[in-house]
């Protein structure tokens, strides 16, 4: 994937994720409707591809107002990923073309890889995760399961244990996917399915859209690294 | 503004330690205080449904404002447990005022109960009780 194609794909996917988020605020009866109406307009401008650098700069400035309004991210990790993508591709546009610009975009890719590896690493050193107890606790009493009926999954010990190890191994081994493009595409498919499952079980729909928006940067970085090698 | 800018740093250098440990989980509960000062029982403010259909689950991939706002309330509850701030207290208070079941009531309070596992049992600990507040803004 070329640098230009990956950057534009990231812009489009980020714009769509921001539009989805903003529409929820503006039409969902939630707080800060006017604030997100502005984000909606800026995201539509980004989607159009006209003056992308300025749209990104304004979205970045606007993000400070959103952070101020909620005294931090509104939805934790998903908002952080959305902002990381935004800031990185904004820098990519505004830094001089060439190495600096590629470093800004590559930093996004590295962080996405780390988002999987670090999440897996902190789990696999935890005895509760290795025994399946931690995931059982997520279902049993955390705030995340979208319905009371899902809490029953906590009692299915073998299923929970298998799911725990599947998640941990996938996350810690994810960086190895950078070694081969076909494996990377497969790994990103599995990762998207993982986020889809989280969206279905825990209602984390914004994670799905923001993480997918970051994938073109990894595809570009993998090609760039192989080209360099 | 300094606090806002300090929120940018974890965005640029995230730790990505999702679910490192499963911390005690907050439940927001409210109570209505009658004109005579008598309080009703504490009730959960934002209970989750008993079940969600496959169609609803698919739909929520694209349209999930209520759940995302409920997750923000969880963040506010965790912030209050760590260090109460008027911002987080106000955010929860405003949402309780909008609950259809409290319409017509005059005053109330909310409390934060944290659920955790101790051995094979679940325990509940009340970590914060709000001041009395008007339910009609």
């Amino acid at each position: 994937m070329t640098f230009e194609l990956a950057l534009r794909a990231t812009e489009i996917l980020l714009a769509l994720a921001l539009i989805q988020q903003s529409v929820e605020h503006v039409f969902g009866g939630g707080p800060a409707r006017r604030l997100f109406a502005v984000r909606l307009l800026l995201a539509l401008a980004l989607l159009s591809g006209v003056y992308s650098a300025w749209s990104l700069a304004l979205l970045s400035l606007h993000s400070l107002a959103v952070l101020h309004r909620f005294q931090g991210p509104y939805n934790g990790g998903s908002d952080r990923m959305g902002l990381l993508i935004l800031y990185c591709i904004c820098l990519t546009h505004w830094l001089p073309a060439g190495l600096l610009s590629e470093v800004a975009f590559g930093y996004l890719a590295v962080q996405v890889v780390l988002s999987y590896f670090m999440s897996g690493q902190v789990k696999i050193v935890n005895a509760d995760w290795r025994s399946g107890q931690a995931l059982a606790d997520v279902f049993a009493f955390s705030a995340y399961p979208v319905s009371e009926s899902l809490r029953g999954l906590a009692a299915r010990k073998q299923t929970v244990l298998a799911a725990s190890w599947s998640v941990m191994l996938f996350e810690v081994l994810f960086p190895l996917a950078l070694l081969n493009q076909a494996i990377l595409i497969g790994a990103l498919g599995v990762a998207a399915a993982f986020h889809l499952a989280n969206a279905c079980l825990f209602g984390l729909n914004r994670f799905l859209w923001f993480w997918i928006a970051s994938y073109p940067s990894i595809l570009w970085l993998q090609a760039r690294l192989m080209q360099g090698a | 503004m300094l606090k806002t800018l300090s929120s940018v740093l974890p965005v640029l250098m995230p730790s990505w330690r999702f679910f490192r440990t499963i911390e005690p989980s907050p439940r927001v509960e409210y109570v209505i205080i009658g004109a005579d000062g008598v309080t009703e029982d504490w009730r959960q403010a934002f209970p989750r449904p008993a079940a969600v259909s496959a169609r609803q689950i698919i739909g929520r991939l694209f349209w999930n404002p209520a759940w995302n706002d409920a997750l923000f309330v969880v963040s506010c509850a965790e912030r209050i447990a760590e260090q109460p701030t008027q911002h987080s207290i106000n955010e929860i208070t405003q949402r309780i005022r909008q609950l259809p079941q409290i319409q017509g009531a005059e005053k109330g309070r909310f409390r934060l109960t944290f659920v955790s596992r101790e051995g094979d049992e679940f325990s509940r600990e009340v970590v914060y009780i709000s001041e009395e507040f008007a339910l009609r803004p």
Side-chain angles (χ1 to χ4, degrees):
Chain A
M1 184 175 266
T2 65
F3 181 72
E4 290 73 21
L5 179 62
L7 182 58
R8 183 62 192 136
T10 307
E11 285 173 17
I12 291 170
L13 292 169
L14 175 66
L16 291 172
L18 290 173
I19 288 167
Q20 188 278 330
Q21 177 199 63
S22 302
V23 165
E24 281 192 356
H25 281 273
V26 174
F27 301 105
R33 290 183 194 180
R34 288 180 188 170
L35 194 60
F36 280 92
V38 174
R39 177 173 277 182
L40 178 59
L41 292 174
L42 292 171
L44 286 168
L46 179 63
L47 184 65
S48 75
V50 182
Y51 299 117
S52 290
W54 286 103
S55 301
L56 289 163
L58 290 172
L59 277 166
S60 297
L61 274 177
H62 180 268
S63 74
L64 298 179
V66 176
L67 285 169
H68 179 72
R69 166 62 182 81
F70 295 107
Q71 299 286 293
Y74 178 74
N75 274 159
S78 61
D79 276 11
R80 287 202 175 106
M81 176 54 91
L83 293 181
L84 178 67
I85 299 169
L86 174 62
Y87 298 157
C88 285
I89 62 173
C90 184
L91 281 173
T92 303
H93 268 280
W94 284 95
L95 285 170
L99 185 62
L100 282 177
S101 183
E102 288 192 357
V103 166
F105 197 51
Y107 180 76
L108 170 61
V110 169
Q111 284 297 337
V112 180
V113 174
L114 283 175
S115 75
Y116 292 114
F117 177 74
M118 292 303 297
S119 295
Q121 190 267 333
V122 296
K123 289 186 185 84
I124 211 160
V125 298
N126 181 331
D128 278 348
W129 268 102
R130 293 197 303 272
S131 68
Q133 183 63 59
L135 187 55
D137 285 348
V138 171
F139 283 109
F141 66 81
S142 83
Y144 294 104
V146 296
S147 68
E148 288 297 333
S149 62
L150 284 177
R151 296 211 183 276
L153 289 174
R156 297 170 69 168
K157 300 293 183 192
Q158 294 304 315
T159 305
V160 168
L161 181 64
S164 298
W165 275 100
S166 300
V167 169
M168 288 187 294
L169 289 175
F170 173 74
E171 288 182 331
V172 295
L173 295 175
F174 184 84
L176 295 177
L178 288 172
L179 295 173
N180 179 280
Q181 189 184 46
I183 294 174
L184 178 61
I185 290 169
L188 291 176
V190 173
F194 167 65
H195 292 298
L196 179 64
N198 285 336
C200 294
L201 296 171
F202 304 132
L204 303 174
N205 63 324
R206 294 182 180 183
F207 276 78
L208 174 66
W209 305 124
F210 281 124
W211 254 263
I212 285 176
S214 72
Y215 290 172
S217 69
I218 309 181
L219 289 167
W220 166 77
L221 181 67
Q222 193 272 342
R224 181 76 174 80
L225 291 174
M226 291 301 109
Q227 185 186 36
Chain B
M1 198 60 198
L2 195 64
K3 185 175 170 57
T4 301
L5 289 174
S6 69
S7 302
V8 173
L9 198 61
V11 170
L12 292 172
M13 286 183 285
S15 69
W16 304 127
R17 296 182 174 188
F18 297 121
F19 294 103
R20 179 176 56 163
T21 56
I22 310 307
E23 302 290 342
S25 176
R27 306 285 187 272
V28 180
E29 298 167 320
Y30 70 92
V31 67
I32 292 172
I33 303 169
D36 51 3
V38 175
T39 58
E40 298 181 357
D41 292 334
W42 289 95
R43 298 175 194 175
Q44 195 167 333
F46 312 105
R48 71 202 61 243
V52 178
S53 70
R55 188 175 174 179
Q56 284 175 305
I57 286 174
I58 300 299
R60 286 179 181 190
L61 295 176
F62 307 96
W63 179 252
N64 205 14
W67 185 258
N68 282 316
D69 203 55
L71 293 179
F72 176 63
V73 169
V74 170
S75 298
C76 290
E78 289 168 346
R79 290 178 195 175
I80 292 170
E82 197 172 312
Q83 186 176 356
T85 65
Q86 200 56 49
H87 175 273
S88 293
I89 293 167
N90 289 346
E91 291 285 347
I92 294 178
T93 302
Q94 285 167 14
R95 283 160 177 80
I96 288 175
R97 282 180 177 143
Q98 291 167 1
L99 292 173
Q101 58 267 37
I102 60 96
Q103 298 310 311
E106 294 288 336
K107 291 179 180 176
R109 290 179 192 269
F110 76 84
R111 73 180 184 186
L112 303 177
T113 302
F114 276 68
V115 182
S116 61
R117 180 176 55 80
E118 289 181 8
D120 293 334
E121 303 289 322
F122 294 115
S123 70
R124 299 171 68 88
E125 182 187 5
V126 176
V127 300
Y128 176 82
I129 301 179
S130 76
E131 298 290 325
E132 197 173 290
F133 58 87
L135 289 169
R136 293 179 185 175

